[in-house]
Amino acid sequence: MEKIVLFGELLLLLKSPGKERLLQSPALEAVFGGSEANVAVSLAVLGREACFVTALPDHAVGRAAAASLARYGVRVQPVLKPGRLGIYFLEDGACQRPSTVIYDRSGSCFAETAADEYGWASAFSGASWFHVSGVTPAVSQNAAGCALCAMKEARRQGASVSLDLNYRKKLWKYGASAVETMRALAALADVIVANEEDIQNCLGIAPGGLGMTADGCRHLCEEVRRQFPNVRTVAVTLRRSQSADRNGWSAVLSGRTGFFESASYSIENIVERVGAGDSFAAGLIFGLSEFGGDEQKALDFAAAASCLKHSIPGDFNLSTKEEILALMAGNANGRIQR
């Protein structure tokens, strides 16, 4: 089984019930998640060996966080230490009211753990792929250094490296430049996943006068690959948000064999937007290794996987390979399967 290593922070998500405002009623729903953790669960559900490297507090909440991944088959390799778990609060949007995220991550175990505390050589032994997102280097200077160290070790051991740019304006507060930090990481990546705003805010590359038309997307991808010659694949997700409940969803990919556009999905009555981009990254990683180099099929698989994620509460995409392939084949009517 192909071993995929992921590195990032595992978070406690505290969410208002249903579509309520935060603390409108004196209750919060608690689950676990985080960008790379979401990718790890998706890959495990799809049948890959996912190994998640992180730092957790050595107490009951930290152990519960690890168990939330292990139940789906993710192998968690935590550095356990005294401290706290990072938290984020989510108020789910509805109609024209957008969703809102509040982070409480400063000083977490993950933010404070240095690169030399992780056993990188052991973690990457036998690994074919490594994935990290731009959320991680935004957390702290320590986390940024760890991400850079992990990418270098992954390349040294011959693993492919994917980077989801994932720009989070609310996290880049510790003084580092997002563009300078992320360009250093992008130079070590084989695969970059992003939307157009991520590319502008993390790499300093603007979409240009063509906008996000097909020609504009092609030009943007080509410019990323020109500036980062090591990158062989750039995938860009395209969300058209009519309201918090109704989005259009598609993606494009520039790779070794050409430029490709996915099917376009109209998603209504959205259950959960959180984790949709992570499910796309997981689907792409899976598709690029599963379909014999067929980049169109890999892209279509990733777009369909992330479309289905919008129907599943929580951070994790629990869609199976068979369900994703069925949607790719046109089974989109939602009829009961008996």
Side-chain angles (χ1 to χ4, degrees):
M1 187 184 298
E2 183 175 345
K3 177 182 175 182
I4 300 170
V5 178
L6 307 99
F7 172 67
E9 184 167 26
L10 186 50
L11 298 161
L12 174 63
L13 164 60
L14 298 175
K15 177 184 179 298
S16 53
K19 300 295 183 180
E20 290 185 9
R21 308 301 305 264
L22 276 171
L23 298 174
Q24 178 179 336
S25 60
L28 291 172
E29 299 172 356
V31 295
F32 297 100
S35 181
E36 295 89 350
N38 301 343
V39 177
V41 169
S42 292
L43 288 168
V45 170
L46 291 170
R48 291 292 188 260
E49 179 187 352
C51 176
F52 184 69
V53 179
T54 191
L56 292 171
D58 191 10
H59 55 47
V61 179
R63 289 188 288 274
S68 71
L69 301 191
R71 68 179 292 200
Y72 296 109
V74 177
R75 182 155 59 89
V76 184
Q77 290 188 211
V79 173
L80 296 173
K81 58 198 306 181
R84 63 178 293 256
L85 193 70
I87 300 171
Y88 76 103
F89 299 85
L90 173 65
E91 177 183 294
D92 223 358
C95 302
Q96 279 65 47
R97 174 170 59 87
S99 298
T100 303
V101 171
I102 299 172
Y103 294 109
D104 180 17
R105 303 173 69 165
S106 297
S108 68
C109 285
F110 183 82
E112 298 297 318
T113 300
D116 60 6
E117 297 181 66
Y118 295 100
W120 298 119
S122 173
F124 285 113
S125 177
S128 61
W129 200 288
F130 173 63
H131 179 76
V132 69
S133 87
V135 177
T136 291
V139 171
S140 68
Q141 192 68 61
N142 271 327
C146 291
L148 184 64
C149 183
M151 293 177 82
K152 288 179 178 179
E153 180 62 25
R155 296 194 63 82
R156 191 185 71 79
Q157 295 208 30
S160 296
V161 176
S162 56
L163 174 65
D164 188 340
L165 297 183
N166 262 350
Y167 180 72
R168 299 290 183 267
K169 180 180 179 180
K170 291 181 179 181
L171 288 179
W172 285 98
K173 300 298 184 183
Y174 63 90
S177 160
V179 171
E180 184 178 352
T181 303
M182 292 304 297
R183 285 184 68 90
L185 298 181
L188 297 170
D190 300 292
V191 177
I192 285 181
V193 178
N195 63 33
E196 72 277 11
E197 291 180 353
D198 295 333
I199 292 173
Q200 183 164 350
N201 291 318
C202 290
L203 304 182
I205 302 173
L210 295 172
M212 296 313 292
T213 61
D215 286 342
C217 290
R218 184 193 300 267
H219 174 77
L220 183 62
C221 291
E222 288 175 352
E223 183 59 21
V224 172
R225 295 181 68 189
R226 186 189 70 80
Q227 293 192 25
F228 299 92
N230 199 66
V231 173
R232 65 172 185 258
T233 304
V234 179
V236 178
T237 57
L238 304 168
R239 184 185 292 279
R240 296 165 298 283
S241 186
Q242 287 87 42
S243 72
D245 307 291
R246 183 181 179 189
N247 289 183
W249 182 258
S250 62
V252 298
L253 180 148
S254 175
R256 287 175 166 172
T257 59
F259 179 79
F260 305 96
E261 301 176 59
S262 78
S264 183
Y265 296 96
S266 179
I267 310 172
E268 300 186 14
N269 303 314
I270 291 171
V271 174
E272 184 70 85
R273 269 187 56 165
V274 173
D278 302 322
S279 62
F280 177 87
L284 186 65
I285 293 168
F286 178 87
L288 288 173
S289 61
E290 177 76 3
F291 302 130
D294 186 336
E295 292 177 318
Q296 178 71 72
K297 190 171 182 180
L299 176 66
D300 288 339
F301 187 88
S306 54
C307 173
L308 289 175
K309 171 64 189 75
H310 288 78
S311 70
I312 300 172
D315 269 28
F316 302 152
N317 186 13
L318 306 181
S319 304
T320 65
K321 176 183 175 181
E322 291 72 26
E323 290 169 333
I324 296 167
L325 290 174
L327 178 56
M328 288 171 61
N331 185 3
N333 55 28
R335 291 175 65 92
I336 296 175
Q337 304 296 302
R338 301 184 190 272

